[in-house]
Amino acid sequence: MTDAGPAITISRVVKYYGDVLAVNDVSLMVDEGEFVTLLGPSGCGKSTLLRMVAGFIEPNSGDILLHGKSVVGVPPYRRNTSMVFQDYALFPHRTVAQNLAFGLRMRKMPRPDISARVTAMLELLGLPGMGERRITEISGGQQQRVALGRALVVEPAVLLLDEPLGALDFKLRKQMQSELKRIQRQVGITFIYVTHDQEEALTMSDRVAVMNAGQIEQCDTPERVYRYPRSSFVADFVGEANLMTCRVVATQGEIVRVRNQSGEEFLARFNGDRQIAVGEEVRLVVRPENIRIDSQDGLHGTVEDVVFSGAMAKVSIALADGSHLSVAVPAGNALPAKSARVALSWDADNAVIVA
């Protein structure tokens, strides 16, 4: 990421499909050289938003600017953007080199220049010497690299990626996440990436824009999206979260004292952009890994289940008000017995009040 200013500015964009509102008044700024991921469930509007940036779909209202100039109404081939699709859209009857060269040939670049760029791209992709192989003769991961290279070789201002790793198996997908981030850093091109995979978004991105029902609920660094979610949806969608209903007892800056439905009190953090009132009912998020199982002080409950899964054990605890909390206990730590009475505690910074 650089300080060169915004590569893409999306301003109050709205898109309808008939009577269905797919994108609802979305604004987003992506800086030059930044890797931003649109994350959300199927149907939340993330692919529609990406395709409007590409020019395959036009918004009903709002504006999209590429380096400060509006591109609404400008066809895709004149936007200086490239797109990588989930199915790769490669030409199976052509070689790797011919696939990489396709966009350059369409731009009528001289043959020596095409050859030089294709050779350099093969090196960047980790595919040296494979230019003469046919697409059907290389692996799925190699095909994904060729699709990426075909989009990069034309040197777009912005690269748009619509779930490009969705067709890969788990192990190869993890490997390609690292490769994509390495390549993005090396070429310095702005990436806008679409996925529904939360781990993928957190691993690869400079910022993550979490979408729900056509809107961006939060756009922040991966760490802040995970640690300080701004809504119940973000907390529940990104990682595992315990959500509790509490009432505010007292406030002091960002630190708030709350009372749960069993009458027990504890501290939490509120990062909202409004004042929070004493007596107000709020939702509280605590991640399972941030909860400690103590012997005496804290929120009391009964162990209902313990599930060992290797690096972690998940302990399910029933509280007096009928709600449940999930606690992640690292391997090697002592595990409580079923039906045991335990006390739970956490640091105030790790209990976050959300909208």
Side-chain angles (χ1 to χ4, degrees), residues 287-310:
R287 301 289 185 186
E289 66 272 19
N290 290 328
I291 300 176
R292 297 184 295 268
I293 298 179
D294 300 324
S295 56
Q296 295 180 353
D297 296 331
L299 187 65
H300 294 86
T302 303
V303 176
E304 284 200 329
D305 197 15
V306 179
V307 178
F308 180 76
S309 59

Side-chain angles (χ1 to χ4, degrees), residues 241-260:
N242 294 296
L243 289 165
M244 293 181 282
T245 300
C246 302
R247 196 167 295 279
V248 176
V249 175
T251 65
Q252 185 174 0
E254 292 184 341
I255 301 302
V256 179
R257 176 171 289 277
V258 298
R259 181 185 295 123
N260 71 0

Side-chain angles (χ1 to χ4, degrees), residues 163-215:
E163 307 222 30
L165 307 184
L168 303 180
D169 62 51
F170 177 78
K171 186 174 181 180
L172 188 53
R173 185 170 184 149
K174 299 293 289 182
Q175 178 186 336
M176 288 308 304
Q177 288 173 11
S178 299
E179 283 295 294
L180 264 176
K181 188 59 182 174
R182 175 189 67 81
I183 291 170
Q184 192 266 342
R185 285 174 176 161
Q186 192 165 339
V187 298
I189 291 176
T190 305
F191 276 30
I192 304 180
Y193 191 96
V194 161
T195 185
H196 63 272
D197 187 316
Q198 54 184 283
E199 185 179 349
E200 192 167 278
L202 296 176
T203 300
M204 301 171 66
S205 315
D206 296 316
R207 283 189 301 147
V208 178
V210 184
M211 294 192 67
N212 179 37
Q215 295 183 310

Side-chain angles (χ1 to χ4, degrees), residues 4-5 7 10-11 29 51 93 114 118 123 143 158 170 177 193 215 269 305 307 317 328 339 348:
I10 299 168
S11 179
M29 188 176 292
R51 287 167 183 264
H93 59 287
I114 291 177
V118 168
E123 290 287 340
Q143 289 180 25
V158 178
F170 177 78
Q177 288 173 11
Y193 191 96
Q215 295 183 310
R269 173 176 290 277
D305 197 15
V307 178
I317 296 175
S339 302

Side-chain angles (χ1 to χ4, degrees), residues 43-354:
C44 71
K46 57 188 186 295
S47 289
T48 297
L49 187 60
L50 192 77
R51 287 167 183 264
M52 284 192 286
V53 175
F56 299 129
I57 303 170
E58 292 294 340
N60 293 104
S61 63
D63 204 358
I64 299 170
L65 291 83
L66 176 61
H67 290 121
K69 295 183 179 180
S70 178
V71 290
V72 172
V74 176
Y77 63 88
R78 292 184 57 197
R79 292 195 179 198
N80 197 20
T81 61
S82 289
M83 193 157 181
V84 180
F85 301 92
Q86 183 174 344
D87 61 2
Y88 309 153
L90 297 171
F91 302 115
H93 59 287
R94 293 182 177 174
T95 66
V96 168
Q98 287 169 341
N99 271 273
L100 290 174
F102 179 77
L104 302 175
R105 288 176 52 230
M106 292 298 99
R107 287 162 173 78
K108 303 188 184 302
M109 182 177 285
R111 284 189 178 183
D113 294 345
I114 291 177
S115 179
R117 276 211 201 176
V118 168
T119 299
M121 186 55 61
L122 287 168
E123 290 287 340
L124 178 68
L125 298 172
L127 302 173
M130 298 185 65
E132 297 309 308
R133 292 196 190 181
R134 298 211 175 253
I135 294 300
T136 53
E137 297 173 341
I138 62 176
S139 69
Q142 290 168 337
Q143 289 180 25
Q144 197 277 339
R145 293 188 197 190
V146 174
L148 176 64
R150 188 177 64 179
L152 286 172
V153 77
V154 297
E155 298 181 349
V158 178
L159 185 64
L160 310 169
L161 304 101
D162 194 359
E163 307 222 30
L165 307 184
L168 303 180
D169 62 51
F170 177 78
K171 186 174 181 180
L172 188 53
R173 185 170 184 149
K174 299 293 289 182
Q175 178 186 336
M176 288 308 304
Q177 288 173 11
S178 299
E179 283 295 294
L180 264 176
K181 188 59 182 174
R182 175 189 67 81
I183 291 170
Q184 192 266 342
R185 285 174 176 161
Q186 192 165 339
V187 298
I189 291 176
T190 305
F191 276 30
I192 304 180
Y193 191 96
V194 161
T195 185
H196 63 272
D197 187 316
Q198 54 184 283
E199 185 179 349
E200 192 167 278
L202 296 176
T203 300
M204 301 171 66
S205 315
D206 296 316
R207 283 189 301 147
V208 178
V210 184
M211 294 192 67
N212 179 37
Q215 295 183 310
I216 293 177
E217 296 219 355
Q218 183 172 353
C219 184
D220 216 327
T221 64
E223 181 182 6
R224 289 195 63 83
V225 165
Y226 184 80
R227 291 193 62 193
Y228 304 118
R230 303 283 296 227
S231 70
S232 298
F233 174 81
V234 173
D236 198 39
F237 188 79
V238 182
E240 186 177 351
N242 294 296
L243 289 165
M244 293 181 282
T245 300
C246 302
R247 196 167 295 279
V248 176
V249 175
T251 65
Q252 185 174 0
E254 292 184 341
I255 301 302
V256 179
R257 176 171 289 277
V258 298
R259 181 185 295 123
N260 71 0
Q261 294 176 348
S262 300
E264 297 172 297
E265 295 185 5
F266 42 89
L267 298 178
R269 173 176 290 277
F270 179 64
N271 296 314
D273 52 7
R274 64 175 180 84
Q275 290 292 323
I276 194 167
V278 172
E280 182 177 343
E281 188 173 270
V282 295
R283 294 274 277 172
L284 187 73
V285 177
V286 186
R287 301 289 185 186
E289 66 272 19
N290 290 328
I291 300 176
R292 297 184 295 268
I293 298 179
D294 300 324
S295 56
Q296 295 180 353
D297 296 331
L299 187 65
H300 294 86
T302 303
V303 176
E304 284 200 329
D305 197 15
V306 179
V307 178
F308 180 76
S309 59
M312 285 281 182
K314 289 295 180 68
V315 182
S316 178
I317 296 175
L319 304 182
D321 62 3
S323 62
H324 293 75
L325 292 182
S326 176
V327 182
V329 180
N333 289 24
L335 296 174
K338 280 189 178 182
S339 302
R341 286 284 294 169
V342 295
L344 309 175
S345 64
W346 51 78
D347 297 332
D349 196 50
N350 291 325
V352 181
I353 294 171
V354 297

